[in-house]
Amino acid sequence: MYDFLKTHPLILAPMAGVSDQVYRQLCVEQGASLAFTEMVSAKGLYYGGQKTRDLLQLSPIETQVGVQLFGHEPETMASQAQAVEDMLGDKLAYIDINMGCPARKIVTKGDGASLMSRPDEAAAVVRAVSSAATVPVTVKFRRGYEEGNETAVEFAQLMEESGAAMICVHGRYAQQMYRGSSDRGVIARVKQAVSIPVIGNGDVVDAASYLSLLEETGCDAVMIARGSQGNPWIFAECLAAHEGRPLPEPPTFHQRLAMAKRHARLLSELHGDRIVMMRTHAMHYLHGMPGAATARKMLSSCTTYEDFAFVFDQLDASLAAREEDAC
């Protein structure tokens, strides 16, 4: 795994409703070394749900992908890990087990971050999946489940003992959701406590925060999540920093709108039924732009690619007019 991370230092995190094949393609094009699917329900795969299987579709440029499964039943998790391997073959880099999602609809079913409060069950899941899979099995979790009760170090050691080949640590408690700051100290403490690779995750928004996370924690790679929303260029920026090259110029407003328009087009072509999700993506692309407030109101009623393209083109023309007036 260490050799793998040397050539894959920048990883796109699994994000429900975000990291579909289109989103992954845009981030990989900009320099993401590896991208994760959205988290995939093992139960959904077991029952043959087509929408769940669709989450495993790869973008045209992906040679490898990480798949994150969630669930808490060892046998189901193990059997569906095998099913994912059969489906993706050598394009599957590794299988990650989600033990960090804090969403209520996930934890109330005993999945995601709730497994941190049941370490014996979590260990049983890792043992089962590790025994069934031929690719490396990894685990993503948080600082702890209850706010103020840090359990990440002991949990990481148990995951290693149970067969995890690598772990990813997010520096917030599950009960924090996304409030406050991600604590980097816990990532450093986990790194010192285990012998397997550790990926750091949390609050990476630019090259400076990427480099400081590596330096402060000693982690072996970095996973970027919300910092990439509306900004796939973050991977090009961080990769340049990683390689000691000058940082690229940040994208202009026009480049951001062009990317948003392309994002919408690809979504429409590949996921016609998910095009309304572009509303959320668009909010991120438009952040901080003059005229964005008016555009956001228009986006709320967009239901087709043409609708989104019209809004982006209108805003682009408005920005060009502003620039012309300023000359």
Side-chain angles (χ1 to χ4, degrees), residues 1-12:
M1 292 301 295
Y2 283 108
D3 289 340
F4 181 85
L5 293 178
K6 286 178 182 177
T7 55
H8 296 76
L10 284 160
I11 300 171
L12 172 65

Side-chain angles (χ1 to χ4, degrees), residues 22 32 65 111 115 201 209 238 241 249 253 266 289 297 312 317:
V22 172
V65 69
D111 302 330
L115 281 164
N201 173 229
S209 53
C238 291
E249 289 293 320
F253 289 153
L266 290 173
M289 287 188 190
K297 292 178 183 177
F312 297 144

